Amino acid sequence: MDALYFELGWQHIVNWDAYDHILFVIALSAIYLLRDWKKVLVLVTAFTIGHSVTLALSVLNIIRIPSEIVEFLIPVTICITALSNILRKTEQPQNLQLNYFYALFFGLIHGLGFSNYLKSLLGSQANIVQPLLGFNIGLEVGQIVIVMAILIFSTLIVNIGRIKRRDWTMFLSSATFGAAFIMVLEGIRTFSE
């Protein structure tokens, strides 16, 4: 594994400049508490798999989607995920299949968001397997750190702060939706110029 690309993957997710990815991870994790960590780990890994597939396909020039479209779609994925949490009828996550779909499918879109930068770093490098592997492992580790922080904080709010789990989910998801919706509006403004 390439340590430089591991660091890039790690920085890609924990860097505040990548707050769109952080918001998506928050939206995915908002309905869970620390005791649900195994379910969330599967979701985060599904996101990384989706992210990895399109990142590799884009770096290999198999797929090409204009960056303006990708940058618009990323906050849309956050809004959909957060809205799904808000509209959820039960307090505890019962059926995870929709969340797995969001994680995997929306991971495909998010993977395109970093591909141009990674392409420029790789240049004409023939073997991209090690750099991609290093990047994606770094990304996964960074996501796990963020998710664990969210789960610990949510557990403290619900169990120690005595806030109803549904109220906390609504607050966190609504805040995430609001931040992403502003990004969607900015994207629409960019398209109209």
Side-chain angles (χ1 to χ4, degrees):
M1 178 179 72
D2 193 314
L4 169 68
Y5 290 97
F6 175 89
E7 181 70 22
L8 285 172
W10 163 264
Q11 288 299 318
H12 174 61
I13 194 69
V14 299
N15 186 337
W16 188 244
D17 290 338
Y19 70 95
D20 53 346
H21 293 295
I22 295 171
L23 285 174
F24 184 71
V25 172
I26 291 170
L28 270 181
S29 306
I31 60 174
Y32 300 101
L33 298 177
L34 191 56
R35 66 177 176 247
D36 304 314
W37 69 269
K38 289 179 186 175
K39 295 174 188 173
V40 182
L41 183 60
V42 172
L43 284 172
V44 169
T45 301
F47 176 71
T48 301
I49 290 168
H51 195 278
S52 303
V53 167
T54 51
L55 190 57
L57 292 174
S58 180
V59 167
L60 293 170
N61 290 316
I62 295 171
I63 58 170
R64 291 184 195 139
I65 298 176
S67 62
E68 306 84 42
I69 293 173
V70 173
E71 293 305 319
F72 173 74
L73 289 176
I74 287 173
V76 169
T77 66
I78 300 164
C79 285
I80 292 170
T81 305
L83 190 59
S84 174
N85 294 343
I86 293 166
L87 298 175
R88 181 178 296 277
K89 296 199 185 324
T90 61
E91 184 176 285
Q92 297 200 16
Q94 302 289 332
N95 187 348
L96 296 179
Q97 292 177 347
L98 188 58
N99 283 5
Y100 289 131
F101 169 79
Y102 288 155
L104 183 62
F105 182 71
F106 292 164
L108 294 171
I109 295 169
H110 285 246
L112 294 169
F114 194 66
S115 61
N116 287 336
Y117 176 65
L118 191 58
K119 275 191 233 184
S120 69
L121 287 174
L122 291 171
S124 61
Q125 189 170 330
N127 182 5
I128 64 162
V129 173
Q130 288 229 333
L132 278 174
L133 179 63
F135 177 82
N136 287 311
I137 291 172
L139 180 74
E140 181 78 354
V141 169
Q143 288 177 152
I144 290 169
V145 168
I146 292 169
V147 164
M148 291 308 292
I150 295 164
L151 295 180
I152 290 168
F153 188 69
S154 293
T155 299
L156 291 173
I157 292 290
V158 170
N159 293 340
I160 295 174
R162 302 275 188 226
I163 303 296
K164 290 181 182 174
R165 184 172 180 171
R166 179 71 183 139
D167 291 345
W168 175 247
T169 297
M170 290 292 285
F171 170 77
L172 193 55
S173 297
S174 297
T176 304
F177 177 87
F181 191 69
I182 290 169
M183 293 167 59
V184 169
L185 294 177
E186 288 170 356
I188 291 171
R189 193 174 322 129
T190 301
F191 280 129
S192 64
E193 291 176 351

